[in-house]
Amino acid sequence: MPAKDDPVVIKKYANRRLYNTGTSTYVTLEDLAEMVKKGEDFTVQDAKTGEDITHPVLTQIIFELENKDGQNMLPIPFLRQLIAFYGDQMQMIVPSFLEQSMSAFAKEQERFREQMKSAIGKSPMDMMKMATPMKALEEQTRRNMEMFQQAVRLFAPFPSPNTAAASEEPSKKDADEHPDDLQELKEQIAAMQRKIDSMG
């Protein structure tokens, strides 16, 4: 029997059926999605080999959800950027970046939920005020992506001469006009380097 705080083990059989060992029942991908939404921790194992296949099963759940009408959450530009990072030297940093970004968003979403609840029945003017936090979050997300892209360029070990020549002048100009942004970028790069070192 698993310990109380251990994740529930879901076994996947050759016929693709999923078996929840915690409840001794067969479940579907939809059931697993509901478990995720409720915060229930689980791992998925191949019933024959015991191999941990949680990652591909969660990916399959996202694929199924994305193909439902009106449930698309992943915009095409994001998908293109994500695909481009596979096999890239920065691939090892992307998971940590995405995890931290989603954690930050998860913290903010509780505040948005509360504002949505309190806004029910309010005037259109009050509803417009609610857009301000969302715009602030969008702006922060945009800045995070810009800084990440700049960090990616700075980590590239061998930029081509043309790229270096083209970026040298704008970089100097940006440094002169936005010293605070440059310092913030340096701090983020240092933090990312520490993260890489700890992963190594």
Side-chain angles (χ1 to χ4, degrees):
M1 290 292 292
K4 184 178 180 181
D5 295 331
D6 285 350
V8 174
V9 175
I10 309 293
K11 291 190 175 182
K12 186 175 183 181
Y13 291 90
N15 60 5
R16 296 188 178 182
R17 295 194 74 183
L18 299 163
Y19 184 78
N20 186 328
T21 61
T23 59
S24 300
T25 57
Y26 284 99
V27 293
T28 64
L29 290 176
E30 288 80 5
D31 294 326
L32 295 187
E34 285 303 314
M35 289 176 68
V36 171
K37 291 175 183 178
K38 291 176 183 176
E40 298 177 25
D41 193 13
F42 63 84
T43 61
V44 186
Q45 297 178 359
D46 184 291
K48 185 176 181 180
T49 65
E51 178 188 0
D52 189 326
I53 54 173
T54 308
H55 186 277
V57 169
L58 292 177
T59 305
Q60 186 180 357
I61 291 173
I62 292 174
F63 177 79
E64 296 287 339
L65 292 173
E66 281 289 308
N67 279 282
K68 285 187 177 180
D69 290 337
Q71 293 220 147
N72 305 105
M73 279 203 306
L74 304 177
I76 289 176
F78 170 79
L79 292 173
R80 292 185 189 278
Q81 289 175 329
L82 194 60
I83 291 170
F85 277 119
Y86 281 94
D88 187 271
Q89 61 186 0
M90 299 303 295
Q91 180 176 340
M92 61 184 292
I93 297 177
V94 174
S96 176
F97 175 80
L98 293 178
E99 185 176 353
Q100 290 176 17
S101 297
M102 288 302 292
S103 295
F105 180 77
K107 290 176 183 176
E108 289 295 322
Q109 77 163 342
E110 293 306 318
R111 185 159 61 94
F112 293 149
R113 287 182 194 276
E114 290 303 316
Q115 288 177 339
M116 287 294 287
K117 287 178 184 176
S118 63
I120 295 174
K122 291 189 176 181
S123 67
M125 213 53 183
D126 291 327
M127 293 295 289
M128 286 178 66
K129 291 177 183 176
M130 289 183 56
T132 305
M134 183 59 77
K135 286 181 180 177
L137 182 62
E138 289 175 356
E139 176 63 19
Q140 184 60 46
T141 302
R142 184 188 64 77
R143 285 173 55 82
N144 285 349
M145 281 306 300
E146 286 178 355
M147 288 184 178
F148 179 73
Q149 289 166 351
Q150 290 176 28
V152 168
R153 288 194 292 270
L154 288 173
F155 271 108
F158 303 111
S160 66
N162 291 339
T163 304
S167 62
E168 184 176 355
E169 186 59 33
S171 297
K172 185 177 184 302
K173 183 179 178 183
D174 289 344
D176 292 340
E177 292 181 357
H178 306 287
D180 293 339
D181 288 352
L182 182 59
Q183 181 60 34
E184 188 176 355
L185 177 60
K186 286 179 179 178
E187 291 171 1
Q188 291 221 358
I189 291 172
M192 291 172 77
Q193 185 62 55
R194 287 193 296 271
K195 183 81 173 176
I196 294 171
D197 293 340
S198 65
M199 291 168 64

mmCIF file of all heavy atoms in Angstrom, residues 79-95:
data_model
loop_
_atom_site.group_PDB
_atom_site.id
_atom_site.type_symbol
_atom_site.label_atom_id
_atom_site.label_comp_id
_atom_site.label_asym_id
_atom_site.label_seq_id
_atom_site.Cartn_x
_atom_site.Cartn_y
_atom_site.Cartn_z
ATOM 1 N N LEU A 79 3.580 27.695 -30.019
ATOM 2 C CA LEU A 79 3.914 26.335 -30.448
ATOM 3 C C LEU A 79 5.121 26.336 -31.379
ATOM 4 O O LEU A 79 6.001 25.479 -31.271
ATOM 5 C CB LEU A 79 2.707 25.689 -31.144
ATOM 6 C CG LEU A 79 1.502 25.383 -30.242
ATOM 7 C CD1 LEU A 79 0.324 24.922 -31.078
ATOM 8 C CD2 LEU A 79 1.864 24.319 -29.211
ATOM 9 N N ARG A 80 5.176 27.317 -32.285
ATOM 10 C CA ARG A 80 6.322 27.414 -33.199
ATOM 11 C C ARG A 80 7.616 27.665 -32.421
ATOM 12 O O ARG A 80 8.651 27.054 -32.694
ATOM 13 C CB ARG A 80 6.100 28.525 -34.216
ATOM 14 C CG ARG A 80 4.971 28.246 -35.219
ATOM 15 C CD ARG A 80 4.906 29.352 -36.274
ATOM 16 N NE ARG A 80 3.735 29.242 -37.097
ATOM 17 C CZ ARG A 80 3.629 28.430 -38.153
ATOM 18 N NH1 ARG A 80 4.647 27.657 -38.488
ATOM 19 N NH2 ARG A 80 2.527 28.377 -38.876
ATOM 20 N N GLN A 81 7.553 28.589 -31.443
ATOM 21 C CA GLN A 81 8.741 28.891 -30.642
ATOM 22 C C GLN A 81 9.188 27.668 -29.848
ATOM 23 O O GLN A 81 10.378 27.368 -29.747
ATOM 24 C CB GLN A 81 8.446 30.056 -29.685
ATOM 25 C CG GLN A 81 8.307 31.388 -30.394
ATOM 26 C CD GLN A 81 7.889 32.503 -29.440
ATOM 27 O OE1 GLN A 81 7.184 32.247 -28.470
ATOM 28 N NE2 GLN A 81 8.317 33.717 -29.719
ATOM 29 N N LEU A 82 8.214 26.958 -29.300
ATOM 30 C CA LEU A 82 8.534 25.784 -28.499
ATOM 31 C C LEU A 82 9.199 24.706 -29.347
ATOM 32 O O LEU A 82 10.216 24.124 -28.954
ATOM 33 C CB LEU A 82 7.247 25.239 -27.857
ATOM 34 C CG LEU A 82 7.410 24.212 -26.733
ATOM 35 C CD1 LEU A 82 8.210 24.807 -25.581
ATOM 36 C CD2 LEU A 82 6.054 23.745 -26.254
ATOM 37 N N ILE A 83 8.650 24.459 -30.524
ATOM 38 C CA ILE A 83 9.221 23.464 -31.436
ATOM 39 C C ILE A 83 10.646 23.842 -31.819
ATOM 40 O O ILE A 83 11.538 22.991 -31.894
ATOM 41 C CB ILE A 83 8.338 23.314 -32.693
ATOM 42 C CG1 ILE A 83 6.999 22.645 -32.313
ATOM 43 C CG2 ILE A 83 9.052 22.505 -33.778
ATOM 44 C CD1 ILE A 83 5.964 22.672 -33.413
ATOM 45 N N ALA A 84 10.862 25.143 -32.037
ATOM 46 C CA ALA A 84 12.192 25.604 -32.457
ATOM 47 C C ALA A 84 13.258 25.346 -31.395
ATOM 48 O O ALA A 84 14.438 25.198 -31.723
ATOM 49 C CB ALA A 84 12.143 27.098 -32.794
ATOM 50 N N PHE A 85 12.854 25.259 -30.119
ATOM 51 C CA PHE A 85 13.827 25.043 -29.051
ATOM 52 C C PHE A 85 14.264 23.583 -28.927
ATOM 53 O O PHE A 85 15.268 23.301 -28.285
ATOM 54 C CB PHE A 85 13.282 25.532 -27.711
ATOM 55 C CG PHE A 85 13.460 27.013 -27.501
ATOM 56 C CD1 PHE A 85 12.361 27.842 -27.325
ATOM 57 C CD2 PHE A 85 14.722 27.568 -27.486
ATOM 58 C CE1 PHE A 85 12.524 29.206 -27.134
ATOM 59 C CE2 PHE A 85 14.898 28.936 -27.291
ATOM 60 C CZ PHE A 85 13.796 29.748 -27.123
ATOM 61 N N TYR A 86 13.494 22.656 -29.507
ATOM 62 C CA TYR A 86 13.889 21.248 -29.415
ATOM 63 C C TYR A 86 15.203 21.040 -30.149
ATOM 64 O O TYR A 86 15.357 21.420 -31.309
ATOM 65 C CB TYR A 86 12.806 20.337 -30.003
ATOM 66 C CG TYR A 86 11.647 20.109 -29.062
ATOM 67 C CD1 TYR A 86 10.501 20.900 -29.130
ATOM 68 C CD2 TYR A 86 11.702 19.116 -28.096
ATOM 69 C CE1 TYR A 86 9.431 20.699 -28.256
ATOM 70 C CE2 TYR A 86 10.643 18.914 -27.215
ATOM 71 C CZ TYR A 86 9.517 19.704 -27.304
ATOM 72 O OH TYR A 86 8.463 19.514 -26.436
ATOM 73 N N GLY A 87 16.174 20.433 -29.438
ATOM 74 C CA GLY A 87 17.479 20.199 -30.044
ATOM 75 C C GLY A 87 18.397 21.395 -29.982
ATOM 76 O O GLY A 87 19.574 21.298 -30.321
ATOM 77 N N ASP A 88 17.880 22.533 -29.523
ATOM 78 C CA ASP A 88 18.686 23.745 -29.407
ATOM 79 C C ASP A 88 19.501 23.681 -28.116
ATOM 80 O O ASP A 88 19.147 22.989 -27.164
ATOM 81 C CB ASP A 88 17.766 24.977 -29.393
ATOM 82 C CG ASP A 88 18.533 26.280 -29.443
ATOM 83 O OD1 ASP A 88 18.878 26.788 -28.360
ATOM 84 O OD2 ASP A 88 18.784 26.791 -30.540
ATOM 85 N N GLN A 89 20.597 24.427 -28.085
ATOM 86 C CA GLN A 89 21.454 24.431 -26.892
ATOM 87 C C GLN A 89 20.734 24.988 -25.671
ATOM 88 O O GLN A 89 21.120 24.735 -24.532
ATOM 89 C CB GLN A 89 22.708 25.258 -27.158
ATOM 90 C CG GLN A 89 22.416 26.724 -27.482
ATOM 91 C CD GLN A 89 23.665 27.472 -27.878
ATOM 92 O OE1 GLN A 89 24.730 26.899 -27.911
ATOM 93 N NE2 GLN A 89 23.522 28.747 -28.176
ATOM 94 N N MET A 90 19.650 25.756 -25.879
ATOM 95 C CA MET A 90 18.913 26.333 -24.765
ATOM 96 C C MET A 90 17.774 25.438 -24.283
ATOM 97 O O MET A 90 17.030 25.813 -23.379
ATOM 98 C CB MET A 90 18.341 27.699 -25.173
ATOM 99 C CG MET A 90 19.394 28.721 -25.554
ATOM 100 S SD MET A 90 20.589 28.995 -24.231
ATOM 101 C CE MET A 90 19.532 29.720 -22.991
ATOM 102 N N GLN A 91 17.631 24.251 -24.882
ATOM 103 C CA GLN A 91 16.508 23.380 -24.539
ATOM 104 C C GLN A 91 16.457 23.070 -23.044
ATOM 105 O O GLN A 91 15.384 23.005 -22.455
ATOM 106 C CB GLN A 91 16.605 22.070 -25.333
ATOM 107 C CG GLN A 91 15.466 21.101 -25.043
ATOM 108 C CD GLN A 91 15.525 19.862 -25.913
ATOM 109 O OE1 GLN A 91 16.163 19.851 -26.955
ATOM 110 N NE2 GLN A 91 14.862 18.804 -25.492
ATOM 111 N N MET A 92 17.626 22.911 -22.414
ATOM 112 C CA MET A 92 17.652 22.550 -21.000
ATOM 113 C C MET A 92 17.118 23.665 -20.094
ATOM 114 O O MET A 92 16.679 23.409 -18.972
ATOM 115 C CB MET A 92 19.086 22.197 -20.576
ATOM 116 C CG MET A 92 20.070 23.340 -20.728
ATOM 117 S SD MET A 92 21.768 22.877 -20.343
ATOM 118 C CE MET A 92 21.639 22.591 -18.598
ATOM 119 N N ILE A 93 17.123 24.913 -20.570
ATOM 120 C CA ILE A 93 16.651 26.035 -19.760
ATOM 121 C C ILE A 93 15.143 26.241 -19.916
ATOM 122 O O ILE A 93 14.477 26.712 -19.001
ATOM 123 C CB ILE A 93 17.402 27.328 -20.145
ATOM 124 C CG1 ILE A 93 18.880 27.169 -19.829
ATOM 125 C CG2 ILE A 93 16.846 28.539 -19.423
ATOM 126 C CD1 ILE A 93 19.716 28.356 -20.229
ATOM 127 N N VAL A 94 14.603 25.863 -21.071
ATOM 128 C CA VAL A 94 13.194 26.134 -21.366
ATOM 129 C C VAL A 94 12.242 25.533 -20.324
ATOM 130 O O VAL A 94 11.338 26.231 -19.854
ATOM 131 C CB VAL A 94 12.831 25.652 -22.785
ATOM 132 C CG1 VAL A 94 11.329 25.789 -23.042
ATOM 133 C CG2 VAL A 94 13.606 26.442 -23.830
ATOM 134 N N PRO A 95 12.399 24.257 -19.910
ATOM 135 C CA PRO A 95 11.451 23.707 -18.925
ATOM 136 C C PRO A 95 11.400 24.517 -17.633
ATOM 137 O O PRO A 95 10.318 24.783 -17.105
ATOM 138 C CB PRO A 95 11.988 22.288 -18.678
ATOM 139 C CG PRO A 95 12.726 21.947 -19.922
ATOM 140 C CD PRO A 95 13.351 23.230 -20.378
#
